[in-house]
Coordinates of all heavy atoms in Angstrom, one line a residue:
M1 N -112.0 78.6 -39.6 CA -111.1 77.6 -39.3 C -111.3 76.4 -40.2 O -112.4 76.0 -40.4 CB -111.3 77.2 -37.8 CG -110.4 76.2 -37.3 SD -110.6 76.0 -35.5 CE -109.4 74.9 -35.1
Y2 N -110.2 75.9 -40.7 CA -110.3 74.8 -41.6 C -110.6 73.5 -40.8 O -110.3 73.3 -39.7 CB -109.0 74.6 -42.4 CG -108.8 75.7 -43.4 CD1 -107.7 76.5 -43.3 CD2 -109.7 75.8 -44.5 CE1 -107.5 77.5 -44.3 CE2 -109.5 76.8 -45.4 CZ -108.4 77.6 -45.3 OH -108.2 78.6 -46.3
K3 N -111.2 72.5 -41.6 CA -111.6 71.2 -41.0 C -110.8 70.1 -41.7 O -110.2 70.3 -42.8 CB -113.1 71.0 -41.2 CG -114.0 72.0 -40.6 CD -115.4 71.7 -40.9 CE -116.3 72.7 -40.4 NZ -117.7 72.4 -40.8
L4 N -110.8 68.9 -41.1 CA -110.2 67.7 -41.6 C -111.3 66.7 -41.8 O -112.2 66.6 -41.0 CB -109.2 67.1 -40.6 CG -108.0 68.0 -40.2 CD1 -107.3 67.3 -39.1 CD2 -107.1 68.3 -41.4
A5 N -111.2 66.0 -43.0 CA -112.2 65.0 -43.4 C -111.5 63.7 -43.7 O -110.3 63.7 -44.1 CB -113.1 65.5 -44.5
V6 N -112.2 62.6 -43.6 CA -111.7 61.4 -44.0 C -112.9 60.6 -44.8 O -114.0 60.6 -44.3 CB -111.1 60.5 -42.8 CG1 -112.1 60.2 -41.8 CG2 -110.5 59.3 -43.4
M7 N -112.6 60.1 -45.9 CA -113.6 59.4 -46.7 C -113.2 58.0 -47.0 O -112.0 57.7 -47.2 CB -113.8 60.1 -48.1 CG -114.3 61.5 -48.1 SD -114.3 62.2 -49.7 CE -115.0 61.0 -50.8
G8 N -114.1 57.1 -47.0 CA -113.8 55.7 -47.3 C -114.9 54.8 -46.8 O -115.9 55.2 -46.2
D9 N -114.6 53.4 -46.8 CA -115.6 52.5 -46.2 C -115.6 52.7 -44.7 O -114.7 53.2 -44.1 CB -115.3 51.1 -46.6 CG -113.9 50.7 -46.0 OD1 -112.8 51.0 -46.7 OD2 -113.8 50.1 -45.0
R10 N -116.8 52.4 -44.1 CA -117.0 52.7 -42.7 C -116.0 52.0 -41.8 O -115.5 52.6 -40.9 CB -118.4 52.2 -42.3 CG -118.8 52.6 -41.0 CD -120.3 52.2 -40.6 NE -121.2 52.8 -41.6 CZ -121.7 54.0 -41.6 NH1 -121.3 54.8 -40.6 NH2 -122.6 54.5 -42.5
D11 N -115.6 50.8 -42.1 CA -114.7 50.1 -41.2 C -113.3 50.7 -41.2 O -112.5 50.7 -40.2 CB -114.5 48.6 -41.6 CG -115.7 47.8 -41.4 OD1 -116.5 48.2 -40.5 OD2 -115.9 46.8 -42.0
S12 N -112.9 51.3 -42.4 CA -111.6 52.0 -42.5 C -111.5 53.3 -41.8 O -110.4 53.7 -41.4 CB -111.2 52.1 -43.9 OG -111.0 50.8 -44.6
I13 N -112.6 54.0 -41.7 CA -112.5 55.4 -41.3 C -113.2 55.7 -39.9 O -112.9 56.8 -39.4 CB -113.2 56.4 -42.3 CG1 -114.7 56.2 -42.5 CG2 -112.5 56.2 -43.7 CD1 -115.4 57.2 -43.2
C14 N -113.9 54.8 -39.3 CA -114.6 55.1 -38.1 C -113.7 55.6 -37.0 O -114.1 56.5 -36.2 CB -115.5 53.9 -37.7 SG -114.5 52.5 -37.2
G15 N -112.5 55.1 -36.8 CA -111.7 55.5 -35.7 C -111.1 57.0 -35.9 O -110.6 57.5 -34.9
F16 N -111.2 57.5 -37.1 CA -110.6 58.9 -37.3 C -111.4 60.0 -36.6 O -110.8 61.0 -36.3 CB -110.5 59.2 -38.8 CG -109.4 58.4 -39.5 CD1 -109.6 57.2 -40.0 CD2 -108.1 58.9 -39.5 CE1 -108.6 56.5 -40.6 CE2 -107.1 58.2 -40.1 CZ -107.3 57.0 -40.7
A17 N -112.6 59.7 -36.2 CA -113.4 60.7 -35.5 C -112.8 61.0 -34.2 O -112.8 62.2 -33.7 CB -114.8 60.2 -35.3
A18 N -112.1 60.0 -33.6 CA -111.5 60.2 -32.3 C -110.3 61.2 -32.4 O -109.8 61.8 -31.4 CB -111.0 58.9 -31.7
L19 N -109.8 61.4 -33.6 CA -108.7 62.3 -33.9 C -109.1 63.6 -34.3 O -108.3 64.5 -34.7 CB -107.7 61.7 -34.9 CG -107.1 60.3 -34.6 CD1 -106.4 59.8 -35.8 CD2 -106.2 60.4 -33.4
G20 N -110.4 63.9 -34.3 CA -111.0 65.2 -34.6 C -111.3 65.4 -36.1 O -111.6 66.5 -36.5
M21 N -111.2 64.3 -36.8 CA -111.5 64.3 -38.3 C -113.1 64.0 -38.4 O -113.6 63.2 -37.6 CB -110.7 63.4 -39.1 CG -109.3 63.6 -39.0 SD -108.4 62.4 -40.0 CE -106.7 62.7 -39.5
E22 N -113.6 64.6 -39.4 CA -115.0 64.3 -39.7 C -115.1 63.1 -40.8 O -114.6 63.3 -41.9 CB -115.7 65.5 -40.3 CG -117.2 65.4 -40.2 CD -117.9 66.7 -40.5 OE1 -117.3 67.8 -40.3 OE2 -119.1 66.7 -40.8
P23 N -115.7 62.0 -40.3 CA -115.7 60.9 -41.2 C -116.9 60.9 -42.2 O -118.0 61.3 -41.8 CB -115.8 59.6 -40.3 CG -116.5 60.2 -39.1 CD -116.1 61.7 -39.0
F24 N -116.7 60.5 -43.4 CA -117.7 60.5 -44.4 C -117.6 59.1 -45.1 O -116.8 58.9 -46.0 CB -117.5 61.6 -45.5 CG -117.7 62.9 -44.9 CD1 -116.6 63.7 -44.5 CD2 -118.9 63.5 -44.8 CE1 -116.8 64.9 -43.9 CE2 -119.1 64.7 -44.3 CZ -118.0 65.5 -43.9
P25 N -118.5 58.1 -44.6 CA -118.5 56.8 -45.1 C -119.1 56.8 -46.6 O -120.2 57.1 -46.7 CB -119.3 56.0 -44.2 CG -120.0 56.9 -43.3 CD -119.3 58.2 -43.5
V26 N -118.3 56.4 -47.5 CA -118.8 56.2 -48.9 C -118.0 55.0 -49.6 O -116.9 54.8 -49.2 CB -118.5 57.5 -49.8 CG1 -119.4 58.6 -49.3 CG2 -117.0 57.9 -49.8
T27 N -118.8 54.3 -50.4 CA -118.2 53.2 -51.1 C -118.5 53.3 -52.6 O -117.8 52.7 -53.4 CB -118.6 51.8 -50.5 OG1 -120.1 51.8 -50.6 CG2 -118.1 51.5 -49.2
D28 N -119.6 54.0 -52.9 CA -120.0 54.1 -54.3 C -119.1 55.2 -54.9 O -119.1 56.4 -54.4 CB -121.5 54.5 -54.3 CG -122.0 54.8 -55.7 OD1 -121.9 53.8 -56.6 OD2 -122.3 56.0 -56.0
P29 N -118.5 55.0 -56.1 CA -117.7 56.0 -56.7 C -118.4 57.3 -57.0 O -117.8 58.4 -56.9 CB -117.2 55.3 -58.0 CG -117.3 53.9 -57.8 CD -118.5 53.7 -56.8
A30 N -119.6 57.2 -57.5 CA -120.4 58.4 -57.9 C -120.6 59.2 -56.6 O -120.5 60.5 -56.6 CB -121.7 58.1 -58.6
R31 N -121.0 58.7 -55.6 CA -121.3 59.4 -54.3 C -120.0 59.9 -53.7 O -119.9 61.0 -53.2 CB -122.0 58.5 -53.3 CG -123.4 58.1 -53.8 CD -124.1 57.3 -52.7 NE -125.0 58.3 -52.1 CZ -125.7 58.2 -51.0 NH1 -125.5 57.1 -50.4 NH2 -126.4 59.1 -50.6
A32 N -118.9 59.1 -53.9 CA -117.6 59.6 -53.4 C -117.1 60.8 -54.1 O -116.6 61.8 -53.5 CB -116.6 58.5 -53.5
A33 N -117.3 60.8 -55.5 CA -116.9 62.0 -56.3 C -117.7 63.2 -55.9 O -117.1 64.3 -55.7 CB -117.1 61.6 -57.8
G34 N -119.0 63.0 -55.7 CA -119.8 64.1 -55.3 C -119.5 64.7 -53.9 O -119.4 65.9 -53.7
K35 N -119.2 63.8 -53.0 CA -118.8 64.2 -51.6 C -117.4 64.9 -51.6 O -117.2 65.9 -50.9 CB -118.7 62.9 -50.7 CG -118.4 63.2 -49.2 CD -119.2 64.3 -48.6 CE -120.6 63.8 -48.3 NZ -121.4 64.8 -47.5
L36 N -116.5 64.4 -52.4 CA -115.2 65.0 -52.6 C -115.3 66.4 -53.0 O -114.7 67.4 -52.4 CB -114.3 64.2 -53.5 CG -112.9 64.9 -53.8 CD1 -112.1 64.9 -52.6 CD2 -112.2 64.2 -54.9
H37 N -116.1 66.7 -54.0 CA -116.3 68.0 -54.5 C -117.0 68.9 -53.5 O -116.6 70.1 -53.3 CB -117.1 68.1 -55.8 CG -116.4 67.4 -57.0 ND1 -115.1 67.8 -57.3 CD2 -116.8 66.4 -57.8 CE1 -114.7 67.0 -58.4 NE2 -115.7 66.2 -58.7
E38 N -118.0 68.4 -52.8 CA -118.7 69.1 -51.7 C -117.7 69.5 -50.6 O -117.7 70.7 -50.2 CB -119.8 68.2 -51.2 CG -120.6 68.9 -50.0 CD -121.5 67.9 -49.4 OE1 -122.1 67.1 -50.2 OE2 -121.7 67.9 -48.2
L39 N -116.8 68.6 -50.2 CA -115.9 68.9 -49.2 C -114.8 69.9 -49.6 O -114.4 70.8 -48.9 CB -115.2 67.6 -48.7 CG -116.1 66.6 -48.0 CD1 -115.3 65.3 -47.7 CD2 -116.7 67.2 -46.8
A40 N -114.3 69.7 -50.9 CA -113.3 70.6 -51.4 C -113.7 72.0 -51.6 O -113.0 73.0 -51.4 CB -112.9 70.0 -52.8
E41 N -115.0 72.2 -51.9 CA -115.6 73.5 -52.0 C -116.0 74.1 -50.7 O -116.3 75.3 -50.5 CB -116.8 73.5 -52.9 CG -116.5 73.0 -54.3 CD -115.5 73.8 -55.0 OE1 -115.5 75.1 -54.9 OE2 -114.6 73.2 -55.7
G42 N -116.0 73.3 -49.7 CA -116.3 73.8 -48.3 C -115.1 74.2 -47.5 O -114.1 74.7 -48.1
E43 N -115.1 74.0 -46.2 CA -114.1 74.5 -45.3 C -113.0 73.4 -45.0 O -112.3 73.6 -44.0 CB -114.7 75.0 -44.0 CG -115.7 76.2 -44.3 CD -116.4 76.6 -43.0 OE1 -116.1 75.9 -41.9 OE2 -117.1 77.6 -43.0
Y44 N -112.8 72.5 -45.8 CA -111.9 71.4 -45.5 C -110.6 71.6 -46.2 O -110.4 71.8 -47.4 CB -112.5 70.0 -46.0 CG -113.7 69.7 -45.2 CD1 -115.0 70.1 -45.6 CD2 -113.5 68.9 -44.0 CE1 -116.1 69.8 -44.8 CE2 -114.6 68.6 -43.2 CZ -115.9 69.1 -43.6 OH -117.0 68.8 -42.8
A45 N -109.5 71.7 -45.3 CA -108.2 71.9 -45.8 C -107.5 70.6 -46.2 O -106.6 70.6 -47.0 CB -107.4 72.7 -44.8
V46 N -107.8 69.5 -45.5 CA -107.2 68.2 -45.7 C -108.3 67.2 -45.8 O -109.1 67.2 -44.9 CB -106.2 67.9 -44.6 CG1 -105.6 66.5 -44.9 CG2 -105.1 68.9 -44.4
I47 N -108.3 66.4 -46.8 CA -109.2 65.3 -47.0 C -108.4 64.0 -47.2 O -107.7 63.9 -48.2 CB -110.1 65.5 -48.3 CG1 -110.9 66.9 -48.1 CG2 -111.1 64.4 -48.4 CD1 -111.6 67.3 -49.4
Y48 N -108.5 63.2 -46.2 CA -107.9 61.8 -46.3 C -108.9 60.9 -47.0 O -110.1 61.0 -46.8 CB -107.6 61.3 -44.9 CG -106.5 62.1 -44.2 CD1 -106.8 63.1 -43.4 CD2 -105.1 61.7 -44.4 CE1 -105.8 63.8 -42.7 CE2 -104.1 62.4 -43.8 CZ -104.5 63.5 -43.0 OH -103.5 64.2 -42.3
I49 N -108.4 60.1 -47.9 CA -109.3 59.2 -48.6 C -108.7 57.8 -48.8 O -107.5 57.8 -49.0 CB -109.7 59.8 -50.0 CG1 -110.7 59.0 -50.8 CG2 -108.5 60.1 -50.8 CD1 -111.3 59.7 -52.0
T50 N -109.4 56.8 -48.6 CA -108.8 55.5 -48.6 C -108.4 55.2 -50.1 O -109.0 55.6 -51.0 CB -109.8 54.4 -48.2 OG1 -111.0 54.4 -49.0 CG2 -110.2 54.5 -46.7
E51 N -107.3 54.4 -50.2 CA -106.8 54.1 -51.5 C -107.7 53.4 -52.4 O -107.8 53.7 -53.6 CB -105.5 53.2 -51.3 CG -104.3 53.9 -50.7 CD -103.2 53.0 -50.4 OE1 -103.4 51.8 -50.1 OE2 -102.0 53.5 -50.3
A52 N -108.6 52.6 -51.8 CA -109.6 51.8 -52.6 C -110.5 52.8 -53.3 O -110.9 52.7 -54.5 CB -110.3 50.9 -51.7
I53 N -111.1 53.8 -52.6 CA -112.0 54.8 -53.1 C -111.2 55.7 -54.1 O -111.7 56.0 -55.2 CB -112.7 55.5 -52.0 CG1 -113.6 54.7 -51.3 CG2 -113.5 56.7 -52.6 CD1 -114.8 54.1 -52.0
A54 N -110.0 56.1 -53.7 CA -109.3 57.0 -54.5 C -109.0 56.4 -55.9 O -109.0 57.1 -56.9 CB -108.0 57.4 -53.8
A55 N -108.7 55.1 -55.9 CA -108.5 54.4 -57.2 C -109.7 54.5 -58.1 O -109.5 54.5 -59.4 CB -108.1 53.0 -57.0
R56 N -110.8 54.6 -57.6 CA -112.1 54.6 -58.4 C -112.5 56.0 -58.9 O -113.4 56.1 -59.7 CB -113.2 53.9 -57.6 CG -112.8 52.5 -57.3 CD -113.7 51.7 -56.5 NE -114.9 51.4 -57.3 CZ -116.0 50.9 -56.8 NH1 -116.1 50.7 -55.5 NH2 -117.1 50.6 -57.5
I57 N -111.9 57.1 -58.2 CA -112.3 58.4 -58.6 C -111.0 59.3 -58.9 O -110.9 60.5 -58.6 CB -113.1 59.1 -57.5 CG1 -112.4 59.2 -56.2 CG2 -114.5 58.4 -57.4 CD1 -113.2 60.1 -55.2
E58 N -110.0 58.7 -59.5 CA -108.7 59.3 -59.8 C -108.9 60.6 -60.6 O -108.2 61.6 -60.3 CB -107.8 58.4 -60.6 CG -107.2 57.3 -59.8 CD -106.3 56.3 -60.6 OE1 -106.3 56.5 -61.8 OE2 -105.7 55.4 -60.0
N59 N -109.8 60.6 -61.5 CA -110.0 61.8 -62.4 C -110.5 62.9 -61.6 O -110.1 64.1 -61.8 CB -111.0 61.6 -63.6 CG -110.4 60.6 -64.6 OD1 -109.1 60.5 -64.7 ND2 -111.2 59.9 -65.4
E60 N -111.4 62.7 -60.6 CA -112.0 63.7 -59.8 C -110.9 64.3 -58.9 O -110.8 65.4 -58.6 CB -113.1 63.1 -58.9 CG -114.2 62.5 -59.8 CD -114.8 63.5 -60.8 OE1 -115.0 64.7 -60.4 OE2 -115.1 63.0 -61.9
I61 N -110.0 63.4 -58.3 CA -109.0 63.8 -57.4 C -107.9 64.7 -58.2 O -107.5 65.7 -57.6 CB -108.3 62.6 -56.7 CG1 -109.3 61.9 -55.8 CG2 -107.0 63.0 -56.0 CD1 -108.8 60.6 -55.2
S62 N -107.7 64.3 -59.4 CA -106.6 65.0 -60.2 C -107.0 66.5 -60.4 O -106.1 67.3 -60.6 CB -106.4 64.3 -61.5 OG -107.5 64.4 -62.3
R63 N -108.3 66.9 -60.3 CA -108.7 68.3 -60.4 C -108.1 69.2 -59.4 O -107.9 70.3 -59.5 CB -110.2 68.4 -60.3 CG -111.0 67.8 -61.4 CD -112.4 67.9 -61.0 NE -113.3 67.9 -62.1 CZ -114.6 68.1 -62.0 NH1 -115.2 68.3 -60.8 NH2 -115.4 68.0 -63.1
Y64 N -107.7 68.5 -58.2 CA -107.2 69.3 -57.1 C -105.7 69.2 -56.8 O -105.2 69.8 -55.9 CB -108.0 68.8 -55.8 CG -109.5 69.0 -55.9 CD1 -110.3 68.0 -56.2 CD2 -110.1 70.3 -55.8 CE1 -111.7 68.1 -56.3 CE2 -111.4 70.5 -55.9 CZ -112.2 69.4 -56.2 OH -113.6 69.6 -56.3
H65 N -105.0 68.5 -57.7 CA -103.6 68.4 -57.5 C -102.8 69.7 -57.5 O -101.9 69.9 -56.8 CB -103.0 67.4 -58.7 CG -103.1 66.0 -58.4 ND1 -102.4 65.3 -57.5 CD2 -104.0 65.1 -58.8 CE1 -102.8 64.1 -57.3 NE2 -103.8 63.9 -58.2
E66 N -103.2 70.6 -58.4 CA -102.5 71.9 -58.5 C -103.1 72.9 -57.5 O -102.5 74.0 -57.4 CB -102.5 72.4 -59.9 CG -101.8 71.5 -60.9 CD -100.4 71.2 -60.5 OE1 -99.7 72.1 -60.2 OE2 -100.0 70.0 -60.7
A67 N -104.2 72.7 -56.9 CA -104.8 73.6 -56.0 C -104.1 73.7 -54.7 O -103.5 72.7 -54.3 CB -106.3 73.3 -55.8
G68 N -104.1 74.8 -54.1 CA -103.4 74.9 -52.7 C -104.2 74.1 -51.7 O -103.6 73.5 -50.9
L69 N -105.5 74.3 -51.8 CA -106.4 73.5 -50.8 C -107.5 73.0 -51.6 O -107.9 73.6 -52.6 CB -106.9 74.5 -49.7 CG -105.9 75.0 -48.7 CD1 -106.6 76.0 -47.7 CD2 -105.2 73.9 -48.0
P70 N -108.0 71.8 -51.2 CA -107.6 71.0 -50.1 C -106.4 70.1 -50.5 O -106.2 69.8 -51.6 CB -108.8 70.2 -49.8 CG -109.5 70.0 -51.1 CD -109.2 71.3 -51.9
A71 N -105.7 69.6 -49.5 CA -104.7 68.6 -49.7 C -105.5 67.3 -49.6 O -106.3 67.0 -48.7 CB -103.6 68.6 -48.6
I72 N -105.3 66.4 -50.7 CA -106.0 65.1 -50.7 C -105.0 64.1 -50.5 O -104.1 63.9 -51.3 CB -106.9 65.0 -52.0 CG1 -107.9 66.1 -52.1 CG2 -107.5 63.6 -52.0 CD1 -108.6 66.1 -53.4
I73 N -105.1 63.4 -49.4 CA -104.1 62.4 -49.1 C -104.7 61.0 -49.0 O -105.6 60.7 -48.3 CB -103.4 62.7 -47.7 CG1 -102.8 64.1 -47.8 CG2 -102.4 61.7 -47.3 CD1 -102.4 64.8 -46.5
Q74 N -104.1 60.0 -49.7 CA -104.6 58.7 -49.7 C -104.0 57.9 -48.5 O -102.8 58.1 -48.2 CB -104.1 58.0 -51.0 CG -104.8 58.6 -52.2 CD -104.4 57.8 -53.5 OE1 -104.3 56.5 -53.4 NE2 -104.3 58.5 -54.6
I75 N -104.9 57.1 -48.0 CA -104.4 56.3 -46.8 C -104.9 54.8 -47.1 O -105.9 54.6 -47.8 CB -105.1 56.8 -45.5 CG1 -106.6 56.9 -45.6 CG2 -104.5 58.2 -45.1 CD1 -107.3 57.2 -44.3
P76 N -104.2 53.9 -46.5 CA -104.7 52.5 -46.6 C -106.0 52.2 -45.9 O -106.3 53.0 -44.9 CB -103.5 51.7 -45.9 CG -102.4 52.6 -45.7 CD -103.0 54.0 -45.7
G77 N -106.7 51.3 -46.4 CA -108.0 50.9 -45.7 C -107.8 49.6 -45.1 O -106.7 49.0 -45.1
V78 N -108.9 49.0 -44.6 CA -108.8 47.8 -43.9 C -108.6 46.6 -45.0 O -108.1 45.5 -44.6 CB -110.2 47.4 -43.2 CG1 -110.4 48.3 -42.0 CG2 -111.4 47.4 -44.1
S79 N -108.8 46.9 -46.3 CA -108.5 45.9 -47.3 C -107.0 45.8 -47.6 O -106.6 44.9 -48.4 CB -109.3 46.2 -48.6 OG -109.0 47.5 -49.1
G80 N -106.2 46.7 -47.1 CA -104.8 46.6 -47.3 C -104.2 47.9 -47.9 O -104.9 48.8 -48.2
N81 N -102.9 47.8 -48.0 CA -102.1 49.0 -48.5 C -101.7 48.6 -50.0 O -101.0 47.7 -50.2 CB -100.9 49.2 -47.7 CG -100.1 50.4 -48.0 OD1 -100.3 51.0 -49.0 ND2 -99.1 50.7 -47.2
T82 N -102.0 49.5 -50.9 CA -101.7 49.4 -52.3 C -100.4 50.1 -52.6 O -99.8 49.9 -53.7 CB -102.7 49.9 -53.3 OG1 -102.8 51.3 -53.1 CG2 -104.1 49.2 -53.0
G83 N -99.9 51.0 -51.7 CA -98.7 51.7 -52.0 C -99.0 53.0 -52.7 O -98.1 53.9 -52.9
N84 N -100.3 53.2 -53.2 CA -100.6 54.5 -54.0 C -100.4 55.7 -53.1 O -100.0 56.8 -53.6 CB -102.0 54.4 -54.6 CG -102.0 53.5 -55.7 OD1 -101.0 53.2 -56.3 ND2 -103.2 53.0 -56.0
G85 N -100.8 55.6 -51.9 CA -100.8 56.7 -50.9 C -99.4 57.3 -50.8 O -99.1 58.5 -50.9
I86 N -98.4 56.4 -50.5 CA -97.0 56.8 -50.3 C -96.4 57.3 -51.6 O -95.6 58.2 -51.6 CB -96.2 55.7 -49.7 CG1 -94.9 56.2 -49.1 CG2 -95.9 54.6 -50.6 CD1 -95.0 57.2 -48.0
R87 N -96.8 56.7 -52.7 CA -96.3 57.2 -54.0 C -96.8 58.7 -54.3 O -96.0 59.5 -54.8 CB -96.7 56.3 -55.2 CG -95.8 55.1 -55.3 CD -96.1 54.3 -56.6 NE -97.4 53.7 -56.6 CZ -97.7 52.5 -56.1 NH1 -96.7 51.9 -55.4 NH2 -98.9 52.0 -56.1
E88 N -98.0 59.0 -53.9 CA -98.6 60.3 -54.1 C -97.8 61.3 -53.2 O -97.5 62.5 -53.6 CB -100.1 60.3 -53.9 CG -100.8 59.7 -55.0 CD -100.6 60.5 -56.3 OE1 -100.6 61.7 -56.4 OE2 -100.4 59.8 -57.4
V89 N -97.6 60.9 -51.9 CA -96.9 61.9 -51.0 C -95.5 62.1 -51.5 O -95.0 63.2 -51.6 CB -96.9 61.3 -49.6 CG1 -96.0 62.0 -48.7 CG2 -98.3 61.2 -49.0
K90 N -94.8 61.1 -52.0 CA -93.5 61.2 -52.5 C -93.4 62.1 -53.7 O -92.6 63.0 -53.8 CB -93.0 59.8 -52.9 CG -91.5 59.7 -53.3 CD -91.1 58.3 -53.7 CE -89.7 58.2 -54.1 NZ -89.6 58.6 -55.5
R91 N -94.4 62.0 -54.7 CA -94.5 62.8 -55.8 C -94.8 64.3 -55.4 O -94.1 65.2 -56.0 CB -95.7 62.3 -56.7 CG -95.2 62.1 -58.1 CD -96.3 61.6 -58.9 NE -96.4 60.2 -58.6 CZ -97.4 59.4 -58.9 NH1 -98.5 59.8 -59.5 NH2 -97.4 58.1 -58.6
S92 N -95.6 64.5 -54.4 CA -95.8 65.9 -53.9 C -94.6 66.5 -53.3 O -94.3 67.7 -53.6 CB -96.9 65.8 -52.9 OG -98.1 65.5 -53.4
V93 N -93.8 65.7 -52.6 CA -92.6 66.2 -52.0 C -91.6 66.5 -53.1 O -90.9 67.6 -53.1 CB -92.0 65.2 -51.0 CG1 -90.6 65.6 -50.5 CG2 -92.9 65.1 -49.8
E94 N -91.5 65.7 -54.1 CA -90.6 65.9 -55.2 C -90.9 67.2 -55.9 O -90.0 68.0 -56.3 CB -90.5 64.7 -56.2 CG -89.8 63.5 -55.6 CD -90.0 62.3 -56.5 OE1 -90.7 62.4 -57.6 OE2 -89.5 61.3 -56.2
R95 N -92.2 67.4 -56.1 CA -92.6 68.7 -56.8 C -92.2 69.9 -55.9 O -91.8 70.9 -56.4 CB -94.1 68.7 -57.1 CG -94.5 68.0 -58.4 CD -95.9 68.3 -58.8 NE -96.8 68.2 -57.7 CZ -97.7 67.1 -57.6 NH1 -97.6 66.2 -58.4 NH2 -98.5 67.1 -56.6
A96 N -92.4 69.8 -54.6 CA -92.2 70.9 -53.7 C -90.7 71.2 -53.6 O -90.4 72.4 -53.5 CB -92.8 70.6 -52.4
V97 N -89.9 70.2 -53.5 CA -88.5 70.5 -53.2 C -87.6 70.3 -54.4 O -86.4 70.7 -54.4 CB -87.9 69.7 -52.0 CG1 -88.7 70.0 -50.8 CG2 -88.0 68.2 -52.3
G98 N -88.1 69.7 -55.5 CA -87.3 69.6 -56.7 C -86.5 68.3 -56.8 O -85.7 68.2 -57.8
S99 N -86.5 67.5 -55.8 CA -85.8 66.2 -55.9 C -86.3 65.2 -55.0 O -87.1 65.5 -54.1 CB -84.3 66.4 -55.7 OG -84.0 66.3 -54.3
D100 N -85.9 64.0 -55.2 CA -86.3 62.9 -54.3 C -85.5 62.9 -53.0 O -84.3 62.5 -53.0 CB -86.2 61.5 -55.0 CG -86.6 60.3 -54.2 OD1 -86.9 60.5 -53.0 OD2 -86.8 59.3 -54.8
I101 N -86.1 63.4 -52.0 CA -85.3 63.5 -50.7 C -85.2 62.2 -49.9 O -84.4 62.1 -49.0 CB -85.9 64.6 -49.8 CG1 -87.3 64.3 -49.4 CG2 -85.8 66.0 -50.5 CD1 -87.9 65.2 -48.3
I102 N -86.0 61.3 -50.3 CA -86.0 60.0 -49.6 C -85.0 59.0 -50.1 O -84.1 58.5 -49.4 CB -87.4 59.3 -49.7 CG1 -88.4 60.2 -48.9 CG2 -87.4 58.0 -49.0 CD1 -89.9 59.8 -49.0
F103 N -84.9 58.9 -51.4 CA -84.0 57.9 -52.0 C -82.9 58.6 -52.9 O -82.1 57.9 -53.4 CB -84.8 57.0 -53.0 CG -85.8 56.1 -52.2 CD1 -87.1 56.3 -52.4 CD2 -85.3 55.1 -51.4 CE1 -88.0 55.5 -51.7 CE2 -86.2 54.3 -50.7 CZ -87.6 54.6 -50.8
G104 N -82.9 59.9 -53.0 CA -81.9 60.6 -53.8 C -82.1 60.3 -55.3 O -83.0 59.7 -55.7
N105 N -81.1 60.8 -56.0 CA -81.2 60.6 -57.5 C -80.5 59.3 -57.9 O -79.3 59.3 -57.9 CB -80.6 61.8 -58.2 CG -81.4 63.0 -58.0 OD1 -82.6 62.9 -57.9 ND2 -80.7 64.1 -58.0
R106 N -81.3 58.3 -58.1 CA -80.7 57.0 -58.4 C -80.6 56.8 -59.9 O -81.3 57.3 -60.7 CB -81.5 55.8 -57.9 CG -81.5 55.8 -56.4 CD -82.2 54.5 -56.0 NE -82.2 54.5 -54.5 CZ -82.7 53.6 -53.8 NH1 -83.3 52.5 -54.4 NH2 -82.7 53.6 -52.5

């Protein structure tokens, strides 16, 4: 059975345990990259990662863009929303369906 993980600063991710996700508090980019690879090679199908940490390990995340699993989804942290998470989800949907289903072709 696949698992769900969430990575980021402790304040941003602590509440996710109540939703059945396994929290992994990390703030250091090197440790975050290592933990991402560990989770991706394990039984994790979805890894949520705060936008702040994701911005610091973009190259590591990009390794998994074409893979079926895990899905790596950026979420806002307590420091605020940068908009990167929603842009990544929008890009994924566009790749999957072939067009922008939210705003159409402008």
Side-chain angles (χ1 to χ4, degrees):
M1 182 173 187
Y2 289 116
K3 300 178 186 178
L4 303 172
V6 61
M7 294 174 47
D9 62 276
R10 188 173 305 278
D11 291 340
S12 295
I13 68 168
C14 66
F16 286 91
L19 300 173
M21 297 180 196
E22 196 166 343
F24 294 94
V26 290
T27 53
D28 176 65
R31 296 187 100 191
K35 181 55 74 176
L36 176 65
H37 294 307
E38 179 185 325
L39 297 174
E41 299 302 319
E43 298 177 357
Y44 292 87
V46 180
I47 302 170
Y48 293 93
I49 184 167
T50 59
E51 292 172 334
I53 292 296
R56 298 175 76 189
I57 61 168
E58 287 177 355
N59 290 338
E60 304 302 321
I61 292 171
S62 68
R63 291 176 160 185
Y64 301 101
H65 278 283
E66 299 302 318
L69 292 177
I72 300 173
I73 301 168
Q74 294 184 37
I75 57 173
V78 294
S79 60
N81 183 354
T82 65
N84 287 338
I86 194 67
R87 278 191 292 278
E88 285 299 315
V89 169
K90 185 176 177 288
R91 234 177 279 163
S92 294
V93 170
E94 286 174 1
R95 274 196 311 260
V97 299
S99 85
D100 183 348
I101 62 170
I102 298 172
F103 296 109
N105 293 326
R106 291 186 183 184

